[in-house]
Amino acid sequence: MTNIARSIDNYDDMSKILTDYIKDTKKVALLLDYDGTLAPISQHSDETNMDPYSVKFLNKLSLNPNIFIAFISGRGVVDVKSTIGIRNCTYAGNHGMEIIFRNRERWEYVLSDHLKEQFLGMIKAMDEAQLTAHGAYVENKGTSISYHYNEVPLEYQEELTNKARQIIRSFDFVANEAKGVIEGNAPVDWNKGNAALLILEKEFGDDWKSFVRVIFAGDDTTDENAMKSLKGNAISFRISDLLKEETAADYLLPSTNAVSYLLQWLESKFFHHSFSDLPSSQQR
């Protein structure tokens, strides 16, 4: 179910929303996407960076036994874990196809032998088609690929992206659109929503809905799966610079900077700090 969500662009509104939602609950689960949510989208995935305030807040929150943090990313799980680097958290990669829980246990969705063969064929075909021209590159994530074309000049994008989609679909994989990326995902019934539910059950047990307040934030179409799966048992935010957008999220946030409001509020509630920790440019 989708709706037109209201945009939240200041700390006071964020504070009211979270105060009403969390109230006196002791346990909070914070589930976050990375690219486009905690860090602005960049032309190359190696160039993304969180602002220092978000890093500070997340490191502090990860130390509180009443707050659980999981990152659910489209990146490979090893990549997103090394990129974020915050301890005592759960990391999910490949849109939830692989998970490293905070107790270091690992889980992965195992593809059938047929899909494994199709995946290898797709990788080979992408290479032979020379799709890495003009700054584009293919990221092999083990069970899925990301075709990055952010750096490609506009006059070449249509031709290259059409070829990428055609190859992905010819091997029965699903071509999903993201920001400057085409994802080649396996045609399986598993996504960020399934991963979010699995992570919560693993951390809190089957009855997590009765005592955990869940907050989810993401910026892309793949995050909508988690928003839908958590609907009614979480509060969700979609990062979008549109004032109105059809989404399963409860609220819109205009930028990654606004995610700092969320993190700052949690820190102030659980560590009794003040709003003054945020830079003046973000205190709007």
Side-chain angles (χ1 to χ4, degrees), residues 86-111:
I86 296 175
R87 298 181 179 179
N88 196 37
C89 299
T90 289
Y91 289 87
N94 268 325
H95 304 291
M97 296 281 285
E98 48 183 355
I99 303 171
I100 301 176
F101 295 102
R102 66 173 179 169
N103 65 0
R104 299 184 181 179
E105 288 184 20
R106 297 182 70 115
W107 178 94
E108 66 176 311
Y109 189 105
V110 179
L111 297 182

Side-chain angles (χ1 to χ4, degrees), residues 31-33 72 214-218 223 226-227 230 235-237:
L31 311 183
L32 303 168
D33 175 45
I72 308 177
V214 180
I215 300 169
F216 179 87
D223 297 302
M227 296 166 187
L230 294 169
I235 190 169
S236 59
F237 300 90

Side-chain angles (χ1 to χ4, degrees), residues 6 8 42 44-45 68 107 120 133 135 149 174 206 241 264 278:
R6 180 167 67 95
I8 304 300
S42 65
H44 198 285
S45 60
F68 167 71
W107 178 94
L120 294 175
Y149 60 92
V174 181
D206 294 340
D241 57 5
Q264 169 70 13
L278 273 177

